């Protein structure tokens, strides 16, 4: 059988109801009036165990180019924490809706399609990428959709994310699900993999080339684990940075050329005032870190690219150690948003500081193809049941999660299932 050949869903019987329990399957294509969701409301912004609460809400209505997806499993990302906290902004300031359902990764079944949707049908097994746009401007038609004025992230800037029995997405967000993966493995990777793909390959002329060297912060996390694999697959060299020594073997196992433990150095946080005594101490320590890079790349060989996402804690060092004419590419600020750097090294050495935000469909599809072809591992670390979605986010907030990517079960009744029929057999009976 060809890779990921779609064999369809076998017929089954189920009653029609207004609300189904978690894991209980409606008839294929039947849309109940209501659904269960982990909802956030403005008046309870705070840590996930406070901000996330289970509610019964109306099931989404879809427009002509939209698709309703029965969510089998979902991924855990930092934007769910931000949505709950209301920091750096409250999602309610954007979408103006009374409640917010987070979740920007999902695997599931196409359950209903709008009347202008042509490429997907009820019963298709899919994963969802999180970029949305209105599709009617120059960037969406010949440019880069990520530059569109209407660009937004589903499940963060929209209120209809994946922590619910059903989610509403644009048809262009759907991609084929890798059939060799379980529902939870399929759900955990798209946001981080596609983000890493654009960071490495989406910013010409600094797109990654064979033989180049890339410093990867947070190498054992969701973003970092995919960066290491993509760099390795491209024939380049990844230098992974970790914060715990017990993560070294994991990162090396992904294909890193070498690993550095940042706790061996003391040059983190905002840059001290240039030429002050504190700055000179910082510079000495930062150059010690640079020497650790040379121990891997070779004396005098600075990295061509720095894969940044911690932000405030690491950015001064990133902008220092990248080579002349090299690029620091950043997609987040998990340690803080006040990034500082010594601008002399940027202008004199003509370095590029590049922001990067998720990916457009072509980039997400290219990344997903690598997963379908089994060239990339999803690096799923932990799976949480529906009832523990807040606890999964608490672990991420406190940096207590295991290396890799986390997933949560929604309609999939248990882990290890690879087909809808498996889920039907294992799930609660009406």
């Amino acid at each position: 059988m060809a890779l990921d050949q779609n064999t369809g869903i076998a017929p089954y019987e189920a009653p029609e109801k207004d609300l189904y329990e978690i894991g209980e399957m409606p008839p294929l294509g039947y849309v109940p009036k209501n659904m269960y969701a982990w909802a956030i409301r403005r008046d309870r912004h705070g840590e996930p165990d406070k901000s996330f609460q289970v509610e019964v809400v109306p099931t989404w209505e879809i427009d002509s180019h939209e698709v309703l997806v029965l969510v089998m499993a979902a991924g855990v990302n930092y934007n769910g924490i931000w949505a709950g906290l209301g920091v750096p902004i409250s999602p309610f300031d954007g979408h103006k809706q009374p409640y917010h359902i987070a979740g920007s990764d999902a695997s599931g079944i196409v359950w209903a399609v709008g009347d202008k949707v042509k490429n997907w049908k009820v019963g298709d097994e899919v994963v969802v990428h999180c970029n949305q746009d209105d599709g009617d401007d120059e960037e969406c038609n010949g440019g880069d959709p990520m530059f569109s004025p209407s660009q937004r992230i589903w499940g963060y800037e929209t209120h209809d994310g994946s922590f619910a029995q059903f989610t509403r997405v644009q048809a262009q967000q759907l991609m084929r699900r890798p059939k060799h993966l379980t529902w939870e493995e399929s759900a955990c990777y798209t946001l981080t993999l596609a983000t890493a793909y654009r960071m490495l390959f989406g910013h010409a002329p600094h797109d990654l080339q064979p033989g180049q060297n890339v410093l990867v912060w947070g190498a054992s996390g969701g973003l970092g684990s995919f960066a290491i694999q993509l760099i390795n697959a491209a024939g380049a060299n990844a230098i992974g940075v970790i914060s715990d020594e017990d993560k070294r073997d994991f990162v090396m196992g992904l294909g890193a050329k070498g690993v550095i433990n940042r706790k061996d150095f003391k040059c983190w946080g905002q840059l001290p005032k240039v030429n002050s005594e504190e700055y000179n101490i910082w510079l000495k320590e930062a150059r010690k870190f640079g020497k650790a890079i040379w121990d891997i790349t070779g004396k005098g060989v600075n990295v061509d690219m720095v894969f940044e996402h911690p932000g405030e804690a690491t950015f001064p060092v990133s902008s220092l150690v990248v080579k002349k004419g090299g690029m620091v590419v950043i997609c987040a600020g998990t340690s803080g948003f006040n990034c500082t750097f010594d601008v002399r090294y940027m202008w004199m050495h003509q370095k590029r500081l590049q922001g990067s935000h998720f990916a457009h469909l072509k980039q997400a599809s290219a990344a997903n193809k690598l997963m379908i072809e089994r060239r990339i591992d999803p690096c799923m670390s932990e799976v949480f049941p529906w009832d523990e979605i807040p606890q999964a986010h608490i672990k991420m907030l406190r940096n207590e999660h295991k290396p890799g990517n986390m997933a949560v079960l929604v309609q999939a009744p248990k882990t290890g299932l690879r087909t809808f029929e498996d889920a039907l057999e294992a799930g609660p009976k009406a």
Side-chain angles (χ1 to χ4, degrees), residues 139-410:
E139 292 293 351
C140 293
N141 295 276
D144 186 336
M146 293 305 298
F147 298 158
S148 168
S150 64
Q151 186 275 324
R152 56 196 176 270
I153 296 297
W154 158 74
Y156 182 58
E157 292 168 292
T158 76
H159 71 304
D160 46 10
S162 59
F163 298 145
Q165 290 173 298
F166 293 92
T167 188
R168 176 179 60 190
V169 300
Q170 296 178 339
Q172 62 85 17
Q173 291 179 252
L174 300 182
M175 303 183 296
R176 284 194 300 145
R177 183 179 81 87
K179 299 294 185 64
H180 67 284
L181 300 180
T182 64
W183 290 108
E184 58 273 16
E185 288 172 329
S186 300
C188 77
Y189 69 81
T190 300
L191 186 151
T192 46
L193 175 59
T195 298
Y197 187 94
R198 180 179 173 93
M199 290 173 74
L200 295 169
F201 302 107
H203 302 290
H206 288 82
D207 43 341
L208 183 64
Q209 301 297 318
Q212 290 186 333
N213 298 301
V214 184
L215 183 72
V216 179
W217 295 104
S220 67
L223 278 167
S225 61
F226 285 135
I228 299 290
Q229 293 184 80
L230 289 168
I231 294 162
N232 194 41
N237 305 307
I239 298 93
V241 184
I242 58 174
S243 57
D244 294 305
E245 196 58 34
D246 59 5
K247 297 176 180 178
R248 180 179 295 272
D249 289 346
F250 173 78
V251 175
M252 291 297 292
L254 294 174
K257 185 176 182 179
V259 174
I260 301 171
N261 189 335
R262 67 179 179 87
K263 289 191 175 178
D264 294 337
F265 308 90
K266 299 177 181 179
C267 46
W268 315 121
Q270 290 191 357
L271 185 74
K273 184 175 177 59
V274 172
N275 292 333
S276 67
E277 182 179 349
E278 292 80 7
Y279 173 86
N280 293 332
I281 294 171
W282 172 86
L283 185 60
K284 182 178 179 180
E285 195 72 10
R287 285 177 170 162
K288 179 183 172 185
F289 180 80
K291 171 63 167 54
I293 296 174
W294 289 0
D295 290 341
I296 299 168
T297 61
K299 186 175 181 180
V301 180
N302 293 322
V303 293
D304 299 271
M305 189 186 303
V306 178
F307 186 94
E308 249 284 357
H309 51 97
E312 185 173 320
T314 55
F315 200 81
V317 174
S318 295
S319 59
L320 177 70
V321 300
V322 72
K323 76 172 190 179
K324 286 186 177 182
M327 178 176 72
V328 178
V329 57
I330 183 168
C331 71
T334 55
S335 69
F337 309 113
N338 293 316
C339 290
T340 53
F341 61 97
D342 188 336
V343 73
R344 297 174 298 178
Y345 290 96
M346 191 267 281
W347 94 65
M348 292 293 291
H349 292 176
Q350 300 177 76
K351 301 179 181 186
R352 177 179 179 181
L353 309 181
Q354 175 67 50
S356 194
H357 189 44
F358 189 60
H360 54 60
L361 174 58
K362 188 172 184 178
Q363 292 165 337
S365 293
N368 194 56
K369 185 178 180 182
L370 293 173
M371 190 67 72
I372 290 173
E373 294 178 349
R374 311 184 190 199
R375 300 177 188 273
I376 299 288
D377 186 272
C379 292
M380 188 182 69
S381 58
E382 298 178 82
V383 186
F384 296 81
W386 166 262
D387 291 343
E388 295 180 13
I389 284 178
Q391 285 68 38
H393 287 81
I394 286 286
K395 290 192 76 170
M396 178 173 280
L397 173 65
R398 297 176 182 168
N399 199 28
E400 295 171 349
H401 53 302
K402 296 177 181 178
N405 297 281
M406 294 191 290
V408 296
L409 300 179
V410 183

Side-chain angles (χ1 to χ4, degrees), residues 14-27:
E16 295 184 357
K17 303 194 298 185
D18 288 343
L19 179 67
Y20 293 82
E21 296 306 308
I22 295 297
E24 183 185 358
M25 303 298 180

Side-chain angles (χ1 to χ4, degrees), residues 64-77:
S64 58
H65 291 282
E66 293 179 332
V67 173
L68 189 71
V69 175
L70 178 81
V71 180
M72 297 297 285
V76 180
N77 295 290

